Amino acid sequence: MHRSAPATPEKAHAPAPRIRLARVLACAAVPVMLVAAGCSSDSGGDKKKDSASASASSSGGKQASASPSLAPAKFKKLPEACQSIGEKSIDKYVPKAKTKAGEVGKTSDPQSQASCTWNGLDDKGVDGSNYRWLDVDFKRYDSTAGLGSGDALAQKQFERAVSGAQGTADAKNVKTSPVSGLGDQATAITFDLKKTDADFRYGVVVVRTANTVVAVDYNGTGYQGADAPSAGDVQDGATTTAKEAVAAVATANNK
């Protein structure tokens, strides 16, 4: 963010070349400060120009000083995504996770964007198998001149993420509800989606906490006779892990 420095009044013009001798002698007897102010020119037109220039310069300085500045972003960094969700939650919501430590998502700037994914297939034998998948995604925004504050940029991302979940291609039974007491604003979206010949149920929770957006996607299905999780189950899993992820953002910035 760059802020223009207030303009300074222009220096008085040098004396005009043609000055009457009497005026020169009169000015010579006046203290230096008064000479600079009142004897710098013999032309009334020049005085008006000086006055106008000084006024314009002063006005420009006031405008520059009055320009609103962007508030600095609250959060300066992101947590390590795969450590944002506790092991107990992974055991509960992704039983038999293939990698309990999670799989880190690719990113060019881990302090602006980070993600982690867990998935697992819990084989229940004759009762079938339960597949669960959990993804947590973080996006952080700095206040940027010409673009807006970190909070405002995060607000736009929050709206895009909610709209994206609601508009998932081929999704059915889409339901949206606010989540109270989570971040500055939070929305939960649940829906059904058929893929790989199985009926998946999704729970998505998107949260904005100051200049950071946290999006959690929790979904699953049942194979070989096992039932898919209920809408309540996936929303509960997404909400619980979203709370942990939001808390991780605050913890990372308090270190």
Side-chain angles (χ1 to χ4, degrees):
M1 177 182 70
H2 298 283
R3 185 176 179 182
S4 301
T8 55
E10 298 178 1
K11 294 182 179 179
H13 295 294
R18 296 181 181 179
I19 303 178
R20 296 175 185 175
L21 179 59
R23 185 168 179 77
V24 172
L25 294 176
C27 287
V30 181
V32 176
M33 292 181 66
L34 294 180
V35 171
C39 302
S40 61
S41 174
D42 188 48
S43 171
D46 286 343
K47 289 181 180 179
K48 291 181 180 180
K49 291 179 181 179
D50 288 350
S51 177
S53 296
S55 176
S57 179
S58 176
S59 175
K62 291 179 181 179
Q63 290 179 356
S65 298
S67 299
S69 59
L70 293 175
K74 178 179 179 179
F75 296 123
K76 305 300 182 183
K77 57 184 179 179
L78 293 175
E80 292 187 30
C82 288
Q83 294 181 17
S84 65
I85 309 300
E87 288 188 8
K88 289 183 179 180
S89 291
I90 299 303
D91 288 338
K92 178 178 180 179
Y93 297 110
V94 192
K96 302 295 178 67
K98 186 165 56 178
T99 304
K100 188 176 289 189
E103 298 178 17
V104 181
K106 293 182 179 180
T107 178
S108 59
D109 182 2
Q111 294 309 322
S112 294
Q113 181 172 358
S115 63
C116 189
T117 302
W118 296 262
N119 68 85
L121 182 66
D122 187 10
D123 189 351
K124 297 293 185 180
V126 295
D127 294 326
S129 301
N130 295 318
Y131 176 79
R132 299 292 183 268
W133 190 86
L134 174 67
D135 176 85
V136 58
D137 180 87
F138 299 88
K139 287 184 174 62
R140 188 188 65 82
Y141 298 86
D142 285 316
S143 296
T144 306
L147 295 179
S149 68
D151 283 20
L153 295 173
Q155 172 69 34
K156 292 179 180 179
Q157 174 58 29
F158 172 84
E159 294 171 355
R160 285 194 294 266
V162 170
S163 178
Q166 293 171 325
T168 300
D170 301 321
K172 297 180 179 180
N173 303 318
V174 180
K175 296 181 180 179
T176 302
S177 60
V179 181
S180 61
L182 182 54
D184 292 297
Q185 56 189 142
T187 298
I189 307 100
T190 59
F191 56 87
D192 299 335
L193 183 65
K194 188 176 184 65
K195 61 179 184 179
T196 61
D197 297 324
D199 295 318
F200 279 74
R201 189 153 283 136
Y202 281 74
V204 177
V205 172
V206 183
V207 186
R208 181 182 72 81
T209 174
N211 58 308
T212 299
V213 176
V214 178
V216 171
D217 181 341
Y218 178 55
N219 66 78
T221 190
Y223 290 113
Q224 299 174 332
D227 294 328
S230 67
D233 287 341
V234 292
Q235 182 169 337
D236 175 69
T239 302
T240 298
T241 50
K243 289 179 179 178
E244 290 187 44
V246 169
V249 173
T251 300
N253 285 271
N254 288 332
K255 292 181 179 179

